[in-house]
């Protein structure tokens, strides 16, 4: 399951294992740990598997600009990637960073797509059981998909229908 933290060897020897152990000691959420590790791994691979200690802020600028120019990531995606490498250098490696000067993603205004009341009612009328309950809660209270999924899992466990 993707929500369960990966086991880390004791003592952690490999770089990513040491990084994960450090994040867990800082009590970061597992989703943050997983996201940061993915971005840091991407950063390291982009620079030919060089050790992060040997890379400079110029390398960080190149990678962050690459994300925007070549991979067309959004503003928020670039910010998460930036936060991951800043965490890596400032917190984990305890190295100072010069001022970053990378190509920033452009803010794209995207209007959210929202069901009308009639459309939502029509979709809800096609559902039954826990799915209807979760979807109704999402629609009525603004729950996110993961929150509704967690609620649905809890309902399933409490119902004893395992």
């Amino acid at each position: 399951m993707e929500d369960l933290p990966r086991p880390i060897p004791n003592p952690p020897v490999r770089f990513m294992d040491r990084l994960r152990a450090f994040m867990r000691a800082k009590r970061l959420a597992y989703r943050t740990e997983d996201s940061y590790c993915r971005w840091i791994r991407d950063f390291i691979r982009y620079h030919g598997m060089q050790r992060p200690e040997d890379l400079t802020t110029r390398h960080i600028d190149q990678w962050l600009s690459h994300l925007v120019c070549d991979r067309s990531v959004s503003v928020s995606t670039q910010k998460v990637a930036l936060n991951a490498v800043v965490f890596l250098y400032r917190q984990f490696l305890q190295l100072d960073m010069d001022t970053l000067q990378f190509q920033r993603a452009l803010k794209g205004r995207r209007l959210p797509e929202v069901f009308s009341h009639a459309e939502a009612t029509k979709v809800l009328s096609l559902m039954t059981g826990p799915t209807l309950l979760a979807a109704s809660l999402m629609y009525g209270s603004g729950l996110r998909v993961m929150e509704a999924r967690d609620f649905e899992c809890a309902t399933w466990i409490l119902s004893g229908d395992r």
Side-chain angles (χ1 to χ4, degrees):
M1 211 181 211
E2 65 205 37
D3 292 342
L4 296 176
R6 293 178 178 200
I8 300 172
N10 190 11
V13 178
R14 294 176 25 206
F15 179 81
M16 292 305 286
D17 289 337
R18 290 193 329 264
L19 178 61
R20 282 185 183 275
F22 180 79
M23 289 181 184
R24 290 182 190 172
K26 292 272 186 191
R27 305 189 59 85
L28 294 181
Y30 179 67
R31 286 179 181 259
T32 303
E33 171 191 323
D34 198 46
S35 175
Y36 279 15
C37 285
R38 276 197 228 129
W39 283 116
I40 291 166
R41 196 175 296 114
D42 187 81
F43 171 69
I44 293 169
R45 285 181 180 149
Y46 178 77
H47 289 293
M49 302 300 283
Q50 292 182 57
R51 296 179 48 189
E53 300 92 321
D54 299 336
L55 301 173
T56 65
T57 51
R58 184 178 55 82
H59 293 95
I60 298 170
D61 288 338
Q62 286 174 348
W63 178 66
L64 290 169
S65 296
H66 156 76
L67 293 178
V68 172
C69 298
D70 301 332
R71 290 173 51 184
S72 303
V73 300
S74 69
V75 175
S76 59
T77 300
Q78 188 185 39
K79 284 182 181 178
V80 173
L82 171 64
N83 289 339
V85 292
V86 167
F87 179 87
L88 171 68
Y89 281 93
R90 287 191 182 156
Q91 300 263 335
F92 182 65
L93 298 174
Q94 296 183 344
L95 296 173
D96 290 330
M97 298 171 52
D98 294 333
T99 303
L100 295 172
Q101 298 175 344
F102 55 92
Q103 176 71 39
R104 296 191 181 270
L106 299 175
K107 290 189 178 188
R109 294 229 3 125
R110 206 180 87 208
L111 295 175
E113 293 181 30
V114 181
F115 278 168
S116 68
H117 179 70
E119 291 170 325
T121 306
K122 188 173 183 178
V123 169
L124 290 173
S125 71
L126 300 172
M127 297 179 184
T128 60
T131 307
L132 172 63
L133 179 58
S136 298
L137 282 169
M138 287 175 66
Y139 178 67
S141 64
L143 285 178
R144 295 183 177 105
V145 173
M146 294 304 290
E147 295 166 334
R149 190 202 71 178
D150 293 345
F151 175 80
E152 190 170 6
C153 289
T155 319
W156 175 74
I157 290 169
L158 293 174
S159 70
D161 293 340
R162 292 175 256 147

